[in-house]
Amino acid sequence: MDMRQDRGGRRRNIREENRRAYLRENHGEYIYGNTVRKFELQEEWEEAPAKKQHPVVRKNREKARHMSAGYVMFLAAALCATAFILVNYIQLQSELTTLMKIVADKESDLNSLKLSNDEDYNRIMSGIDLEEIKRVAIGELGMTYAQEGQIVEYENEEGDYMRRVTGSGK
């Protein structure tokens, strides 16, 4: 039994040593209690040795820090071109908006003119008495209905109106 107790005690000691080593390596000092102490991480950072850079990496970083005059001129030209394009785009958008407002106003005027025209047409048509016109034409002016041989039909293939020229001179 002594050996068993010794083995169990040894196992516990090894586990405790491993736990303490793990805490020291990975987490620094183990903190007891409910408050956390502030560590001076800046000192560790400053104490860490600086890594030596590869010469190619150093040269590339130096090149990246300095811009050549040609590259600066290219960037300035690109900036000017972009600004010019954006200003023109904004002006075109403004002009388009203005034109759309003008078109909307013209459409509104057209609709009001159509409405007014339709009202005038209906007023004129309601004021015409076709029976009175027929009575005056037949009774007072002596007009008669056309007979069978008096109606002549023409075909107009060229336009929307036609002229008839007669040889009678009337």
Side-chain angles (χ1 to χ4, degrees), residues 1-10 12:
M1 287 264 180
D2 246 347
M3 297 214 21
R4 281 187 186 172
Q5 287 176 350
D6 190 35
R7 280 190 217 165
R10 228 186 289 160
R12 274 186 241 121

Side-chain angles (χ1 to χ4, degrees), residues 55-112:
V56 174
V57 173
R58 188 174 37 83
K59 285 181 183 179
N60 286 339
R61 287 186 180 170
E62 286 177 10
K63 284 181 184 178
R65 286 186 194 134
H66 303 290
M67 291 189 286
S68 67
Y71 186 63
V72 171
M73 293 301 288
F74 168 75
L75 288 178
L79 180 66
C80 290
T82 304
F84 178 75
I85 290 170
L86 288 176
V87 166
N88 282 338
Y89 177 76
I90 291 170
Q91 286 176 345
L92 288 174
Q93 285 286 64
S94 174
E95 186 177 333
L96 179 66
T97 303
T98 303
L99 290 175
M100 288 183 71
K101 286 180 182 178
I102 290 171
V103 167
D105 290 342
K106 296 293 183 186
E107 285 178 349
S108 175
D109 291 345
L110 177 65
N111 287 335
S112 65

Side-chain angles (χ1 to χ4, degrees), residues 24-140:
R24 267 185 265 120
E25 288 174 9
N26 295 329
H27 300 291
E29 183 179 326
Y30 187 77
I31 300 169
Y32 292 98
N34 61 356
T35 60
V36 177
R37 296 180 198 107
K38 292 184 180 178
F39 292 107
E40 296 296 328
L41 297 177
Q42 184 67 28
E43 291 175 9
E44 291 177 14
W45 180 265
E46 291 172 356
E47 291 174 6
K51 294 181 182 177
K52 291 185 178 180
Q53 292 181 346
H54 195 273
V56 174
V57 173
R58 188 174 37 83
K59 285 181 183 179
N60 286 339
R61 287 186 180 170
E62 286 177 10
K63 284 181 184 178
R65 286 186 194 134
H66 303 290
M67 291 189 286
S68 67
Y71 186 63
V72 171
M73 293 301 288
F74 168 75
L75 288 178
L79 180 66
C80 290
T82 304
F84 178 75
I85 290 170
L86 288 176
V87 166
N88 282 338
Y89 177 76
I90 291 170
Q91 286 176 345
L92 288 174
Q93 285 286 64
S94 174
E95 186 177 333
L96 179 66
T97 303
T98 303
L99 290 175
M100 288 183 71
K101 286 180 182 178
I102 290 171
V103 167
D105 290 342
K106 296 293 183 186
E107 285 178 349
S108 175
D109 291 345
L110 177 65
N111 287 335
S112 65
L113 288 173
K114 280 184 179 180
L115 183 62
S116 175
N117 193 25
D118 289 344
E119 289 174 357
D120 289 342
Y121 177 77
N122 290 334
R123 183 179 48 79
I124 290 170
M125 291 308 288
S126 66
I128 296 175
D129 185 12
L130 294 178
E131 291 299 320
E132 178 64 20
I133 293 173
K134 183 179 174 183
R135 185 191 63 75
V136 169
I138 293 174
E140 295 178 15

